[in-house]
Amino acid sequence: MQLLKQLSEASGIPGHEEEIRRILTDALREHVDSITTDSLGNLIAHIEGSGPTVAIAAHMDEIGFMISFIEAKTGFLRIHPLGGFDPKTLIAQRVVVHTATKDLIGCIGSKPIHVMTEEERKKPVELKDMFVDLGLPADEVKQLVAIGDPVTLRQDFLVGASTISGKALDDRSGLYIAVEAVKRAKKIACDLYVIGTTQEEVGLRGARVAGFAVHPQIAIALDITVAVDTPGTPDEQRITELGKGVAIKLSDSSSISHPKLVQAMREIAEKEKIPYQMEILPRGGTDAGTLQQAREGAAVITLSLPSRYVHSVVEMAHLKDLEAAINLLAAFLETAESIDLTL
Ligand SMILES: [Zn+2]
């Protein structure tokens, strides 16, 4: 769990995943035969073996911002989003502005309700009306901060009685599941690539080129999905429930899982008594969307970790679901050679 804490608290907006890549490299080094990085920053680790070529992929980037404007007189900063936060969750959150020389702690500010008009109070505050406040004189801000500097949330990762919570569980939990499954599998019955992808949150970009390079027959994306098992939402719109097991994805707006992979995952989960639930996500996608289009195509599936408060500043997932995801992936890797993908 120390690794997941480290990954969650580290920073990596799309296109700036270097800190995550370093942590992942350290975590994988002694378990793989080689590790390479391509021009989009994807980390590609290889465990040589016989059987089908399998890629497991989780994205290293997190939703965040770039500095887009520095107010000349006051030093307040405006931000450009990379990936889709729910803006109402951002107000009064602490952030880190990653400058060339140092990390600066700031806060996302907005107009206080005390001075809002009746009309303004009724509407949610938009990102364009927010700013980053470093509490520094304008001259100092202009010296330290450059347009394009990454901005990430500052948030502790905490383990509760049954849950974990923190920022960027999307998708640092996927990276953690990949590493732990590789370590836990008694044997790897395939030629395996473990890929930490880049720029997923802005359009599954890293996975597109990594898929071409690796040319997998089977690709498994590891990502979070939404659990709307909370007050105010009807049961049929839950998507998934926290604590009910790893989610085996059937479809989302980026991919439809290969039926034989769905069947294989279900059978393994039943046999190994791993708790699982089936997932259909009406909106949203994963790296499986571009991995399935690699060269002449790959059979893809996504294993999801159900999470509450997705794309907000604190995401929450269940320890049992995390454990189930690791166990299911490990068991799949042990038996991957025997899978029949004939449609
Ligand atoms: Zn994700």
Side-chain angles (χ1 to χ4, degrees):
M1 203 56 74
Q2 192 52 37
L3 173 63
L4 182 50
K5 180 179 169 64
Q6 202 186 355
L7 286 165
S8 165
E9 291 178 357
S11 305
I13 63 164
H16 290 267
E17 298 89 353
E18 50 279 353
E19 189 182 354
I20 312 305
R21 197 161 48 239
R22 268 198 303 276
I23 297 169
L24 191 59
T25 302
D26 286 346
L28 283 170
R29 190 177 282 127
E30 61 185 86
H31 307 286
V32 301
D33 297 312
S34 68
I35 297 180
T36 54
T37 301
D38 66 15
S39 54
L40 263 76
N42 291 302
L43 179 151
I44 301 174
H46 188 198
I47 300 175
E48 287 168 37
S50 53
T53 303
V54 176
I56 56 179
H59 65 92
M60 298 189 290
D61 58 314
E62 69 190 288
I63 49 178
F65 309 92
M66 270 181 179
I67 298 293
S68 59
F69 185 73
I70 304 168
E71 307 237 343
K73 283 191 193 139
T74 59
F76 289 113
L77 304 166
R78 299 295 179 150
I79 49 179
H80 168 73
L82 290 174
F85 267 111
D86 179 349
K88 68 175 179 291
T89 68
L90 291 169
I91 295 169
Q93 294 298 321
R94 278 174 303 171
V95 291
V96 182
V97 178
H98 304 271
T99 76
T101 50
K102 56 176 148 180
D103 286 355
L104 301 170
I105 299 289
C107 176
I108 297 188
S110 62
K111 195 174 182 181
I113 50 166
H114 312 73
V115 294
M116 280 184 177
T117 63
E118 276 303 304
E119 248 347 88
E120 283 173 331
R121 276 200 221 188
K122 283 184 197 148
K123 282 185 283 184
V125 181
E126 291 178 59
L127 192 62
K128 69 174 176 50
D129 299 318
M130 299 179 198
F131 48 84
V132 170
D133 177 2
L134 293 175
L136 292 172
D139 283 348
E140 212 171 315
V141 174
K142 279 184 269 180
Q143 250 173 32
L144 288 166
V145 180
I147 302 298
D149 282 349
V151 182
T152 56
L153 291 164
R154 168 71 180 80
Q155 193 65 254
D156 292 336
F157 173 88
L158 295 172
V159 182
S162 59
T163 60
I164 51 171
S165 61
K167 78 164 178 72
L169 294 189
D170 179 8
D171 187 24
R172 306 293 157 66
S173 61
L175 296 169
Y176 177 75
I177 290 163
V179 172
E180 292 303 307
V182 164
K183 282 157 68 173
R184 199 170 293 184
K186 292 181 201 82
K187 61 167 183 165
I188 307 275
C190 57
D191 191 40
L192 181 64
Y193 290 90
V194 182
I195 310 173
T197 65
T198 56
Q199 302 190 36
E200 191 268 359
E201 294 288 1
V202 289
L204 324 180
R205 296 176 192 168
R208 184 179 296 280
V209 300
F212 187 90
V214 163
H215 195 202
Q217 287 158 281
I218 296 168
I220 302 166
L222 306 165
D223 214 322
I224 58 141
T225 190
V226 292
V228 209
D229 54 343
T230 45
T233 306
D235 290 356
E236 70 272 21
Q237 288 172 21
R238 281 179 167 172
I239 319 287
T240 61
E241 287 178 81
L242 230 61
K244 296 284 169 70
V246 53
I248 299 172
K249 193 184 294 266
L250 293 163
S251 99
D252 61 25
S253 44
S254 75
S255 68
I256 295 166
S257 300
H258 193 285
K260 289 288 176 69
L261 285 176
V262 172
Q263 188 187 336
M265 290 295 181
R266 287 186 82 138
E267 282 171 9
I268 294 166
E270 293 284 347
K271 183 163 166 274
E272 304 290 331
K273 301 193 168 44
I274 297 166
Y276 71 96
Q277 47 192 320
M278 304 311 290
E279 177 206 348
I280 294 174
L281 182 68
R283 226 169 55 204
T286 73
D287 280 336
T290 48
L291 287 167
Q292 73 181 344
Q293 295 169 27
R295 302 206 202 181
E296 75 276 19
V300 299
I301 191 167
T302 299
L303 296 181
S304 312
L305 181 69
S307 308
R308 291 183 187 148
Y309 324 119
V310 170
H311 283 208
S312 82
V313 296
V314 177
E315 292 163 334
M316 179 192 271
H318 203 288
L319 286 164
K320 272 189 193 164
D321 302 339
L322 189 67
E323 195 59 18
I326 296 166
N327 285 334
L328 182 56
L329 182 59
F332 178 85
L333 295 176
E334 288 166 8
T335 56
E337 75 217 323
S338 58
I339 190 156
D340 169 20
L341 294 171
T342 316
L343 287 171

